[in-house]
């Protein structure tokens, strides 16, 4: 039995446990951020036009990101029942300048903009389905909703 | 248009559990040769494709028939990239163990174990998420 190895194994299990807990509590949660003027400028430079929809969701994704694909599918599905929702998908790898300017560290990272261009919040990791649905329902009501 | 190759999502998760166990045994025994075998397993998945990955074959032949048909499939690229990250760590670890630097071997193996366990237990692909951080740190290759 290798004592150093056993110690590293214990540490690895501890790190994995803490990381799993952190992901469970933080990942995907929508955070509100400070004044979003510069964020809006960067997003506009990527062709995002918040005035065209009640709620614009911008997703930064990479080819190696499985949750990005699931999130994209979820957004497309929500768009069928919420016509005021627009989804923009940005290939993070080809927009590294914007990635740095917006401090995008993980994929998927999502930005939520209302029609006035105000940044409602951002989230990293696949958004939680309930939270995403509630956010979309609050800003881009479903067809037929009063 | 050729459709992207798809895999049953349960396959890579199953493989990640086996990888976790193998890496734990590597740490407990300090065996560079066992880690070398795992490095080859990673390399097959990363370079030849997940269809040829040994644990994936094991999953298809032994496990999948007992579980019933796949309910969810995913694109091969993300788990394949994860295999590449695993290969890099296993290669460093193997060289460490076999060149008489067991601490290097143990640390690299430990990092790979964290990634494999997070993938197995939480479905979280560490390598995939860190990919952007790594790309960000370097200047863009393309103009």
């Amino acid at each position: 039995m290798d004592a150093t190895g056993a110690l590293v194994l214990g540490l690895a299990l501890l790190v994995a446990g803490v990381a799993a807990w952190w992901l469970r509590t933080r990942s995907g949660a929508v955070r509100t951020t400070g004044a979003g003027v510069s964020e809006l400028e960067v997003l506009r430079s990527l062709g995002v036009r918040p005035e065209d929809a009640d709620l614009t969701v911008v997703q930064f994704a990479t080819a190696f990101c499985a949750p990005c694909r699931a999130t994209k599918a979820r957004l497309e599905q929500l768009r069928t029942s919420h016509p005021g929702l627009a989804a923009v998908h940005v290939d993070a790898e080809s927009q590294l300048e914007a990635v740095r300017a917006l401090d995008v560290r993980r994929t998927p990272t999502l930005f939520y903009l209302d029609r006035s261009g105000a940044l409602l919040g951002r989230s990293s990791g696949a958004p939680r389905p309930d939270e995403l649905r509630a956010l979309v329902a609050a800003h881009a009501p479903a067809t037929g909703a009063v | 248009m050729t459709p992207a190759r798809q895999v049953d999502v349960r396959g890579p998760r199953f493989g990640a559990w086996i990888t976790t166990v193998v890496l734990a045994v590597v740490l407990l025994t300090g065996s560079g040769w066992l880690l070398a075998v795992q490095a080859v397993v990673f390399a097959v998945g990363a370079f030849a494709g997940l269809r040829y990955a040994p644990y994936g074959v094991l999953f298809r032949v032994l496990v999948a028939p007992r579980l019933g048909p796949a309910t969810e499939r995913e694109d091969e690229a993300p788990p394949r990239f994860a295999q590449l990250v695993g290969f890099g760590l296993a290669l460093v670890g193997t060289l460490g163990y076999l060149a008489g630097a067991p601490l290097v071997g143990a640390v690299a193996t430990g990092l790979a174990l964290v990634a494999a366990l997070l993938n197995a237990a939480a479905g979280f692909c560490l390598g995939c998420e860190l990919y952007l951080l790594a790309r960000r740190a370097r200047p863009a290759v393309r103009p």
Side-chain angles (χ1 to χ4, degrees), chain A residues 59 64-72 107-108 125-127, chain B residues 74 78 123 125 128-129:
Chain A
Q59 170 174 248
F64 298 126
C65 168
C68 298
R69 291 159 205 246
T71 303
K72 183 174 183 179
T107 53
Chain B
E74 66 177 349
C125 175
C128 308
E129 300 248 0

Side-chain angles (χ1 to χ4, degrees), chain A residues 12-104:
Chain A
L13 294 178
L14 189 70
V15 169
V18 170
W21 168 82
W22 185 87
L23 286 169
R24 188 151 297 195
T25 53
R26 282 281 316 269
S27 190
V30 177
R31 295 171 288 134
T32 47
T33 49
V37 178
S38 61
E39 277 101 333
L40 179 62
E41 275 168 29
V42 177
L43 291 172
R44 273 193 190 284
S45 74
L46 298 174
V48 174
R49 294 174 48 86
E51 59 275 11
D52 289 349
D54 295 325
L55 175 67
T56 301
V57 180
V58 185
Q59 170 174 248
F60 283 80
T62 60
F64 298 126
C65 168
C68 298
R69 291 159 205 246
T71 303
K72 183 174 183 179
R74 180 156 281 139
L75 285 169
E76 293 310 316
Q77 199 199 352
L78 281 167
R79 264 165 49 85
T80 59
S81 50
H82 298 80
L85 171 68
V88 180
H89 303 279
V90 178
D91 174 31
E93 225 181 318
S94 59
Q95 302 291 349
L96 287 176
E97 233 163 86
V99 162
R100 291 189 194 102
L102 296 167
D103 197 25
V104 172

